[in-house]
Amino acid sequence: MYDDDDTTFSLVSTASVTDATSITTRTELELDHGDEDAGFAGVSDVTSDFESGWEVSSGPSTSVPPSVYEDEIAYGRRYHGFRRGIYPMPNDEVERHREETVHALFLQLMGGHLFYANIGDYPQKIIDIGTGIGIWPIDVADQHPSASVIGTDLSPIQPSWVPINVRMFIEDSEEPEWLHGSEFDLVHFRQMTDVLRDLKGLLTKIYPHVKNGGWVEFHELRTEIRCDDGTMKDDDPLRVFLDTVKNGLRVYGINILAITELEQILRETGFSNVHCITKKVPISTWPRDKTLRALGVFMKTTINDSLGAMAAKPLAALNLSPEQRVAMLEAARDSLQDDTIHRYVNCCVCYAQKREGHFAESLY
């Protein structure tokens, strides 16, 4: 099932590792079981005393660096230890719940499809970059037993029991080397354009490893709050909060405009047959349509679960005091509960194909 070039893998597989939630410290568990934002006013910015100095070797005998498992604790939340600090969102139970909700939202939005790209009935190689809890590659592997499915992430938070055709690896996707072989039918990203520093560079690295006729696909929720009927004021606390968070992400070197440039970047890196579908997703249950109301519940839950995390590192990067961050957070949460405001966000599914030379037969 696995190609010979897969033997070059040198990163850390989590397939035989227990779930990360089972190796948390006592302090971490206390924080996780309390209010997820408790750290702002009463808990200092606590981190463990491990100093990360590990690099992932390109050799096949790479051992597990301790930084993979020694998570950072800050603002009452848990963050990845491997390549500590480059990704400003947590990997704890609150974030796990948010990822599960986002997965359900996309399934609802896409009519039960896990992706739109036409990869045929018997794909061989699929990879999910920034897999998080690993729910997408696990579902894909169940649907496509012919495929070797890979998930990569900075955090070892994927389950220890996965389908036999799934492997999980811990890595920084923006490192220069590509260590997963070639001939991929599909390379998948979910909510990654707003956290990557160099999307164009990453796609340039990936392109040679996609098979001729293979695909890349992005599933993105844009965090720009919109309203078409005037029920949202210009100073809406939720919109102000998210706009401020974007400025905090810039401090981390993240290109928050990448989603607006995605179609152009795909073409510039060699992909063609680009499809970008944008759909409005309501926030809360204000629409009359039953399907839209269901989407609104998912979106409201997703945003609510992410507010505490965004009020931590991203707002702290702007040198806002704990009191300022708490005030902004509480105002945003109060505003989120107001169903008379007809807010929505745009969801984008963008997929593109690699075609080199003569591609004899259309896939459609």
Side-chain angles (χ1 to χ4, degrees), residues 23-74:
I23 56 173
T24 54
T25 64
R26 179 175 179 273
T27 302
E28 184 178 342
L29 289 172
E30 289 172 349
L31 291 170
D32 280 347
H33 288 176
D35 177 12
E36 65 268 28
D37 305 310
F40 294 156
V43 180
S44 61
D45 299 350
V46 181
T47 60
S48 64
D49 58 2
F50 180 81
E51 293 296 331
S52 176
W54 290 85
E55 296 291 330
V56 178
S57 167
S58 61
S61 61
T62 299
S63 60
V64 178
S67 58
V68 170
Y69 305 110
E70 299 192 14
D71 295 314
E72 175 190 10
I73 308 301

Side-chain angles (χ1 to χ4, degrees), residues 11-147:
L11 300 180
V12 183
S13 173
T14 64
S16 60
V17 179
T18 56
D19 192 320
T21 58
S22 67
I23 56 173
T24 54
T25 64
R26 179 175 179 273
T27 302
E28 184 178 342
L29 289 172
E30 289 172 349
L31 291 170
D32 280 347
H33 288 176
D35 177 12
E36 65 268 28
D37 305 310
F40 294 156
V43 180
S44 61
D45 299 350
V46 181
T47 60
S48 64
D49 58 2
F50 180 81
E51 293 296 331
S52 176
W54 290 85
E55 296 291 330
V56 178
S57 167
S58 61
S61 61
T62 299
S63 60
V64 178
S67 58
V68 170
Y69 305 110
E70 299 192 14
D71 295 314
E72 175 190 10
I73 308 301
Y75 311 102
R77 304 297 296 267
R78 187 186 72 201
Y79 297 84
H80 65 92
F82 179 63
R83 300 285 194 269
R84 177 178 298 182
I86 66 172
Y87 178 56
M89 300 298 283
N91 64 6
D92 52 24
E93 288 303 307
V94 179
E95 177 66 8
R96 177 188 297 270
H97 181 263
R98 187 195 69 82
E99 288 196 27
E100 291 171 346
T101 305
V102 169
H103 188 66
L105 187 154
F106 271 103
L107 284 175
Q108 178 79 10
L109 189 66
M110 299 173 64
H113 296 287
L114 290 165
F115 51 85
Y116 282 156
N118 188 344
I119 62 173
D121 295 331
Y122 302 101
Q124 297 300 302
K125 297 184 70 173
I126 298 171
I127 187 168
D128 184 33
I129 306 295
T131 194
I133 61 174
I135 190 169
W136 187 89
I138 289 172
D139 281 1
V140 168
D142 283 336
Q143 285 192 7
H144 296 280
S146 64

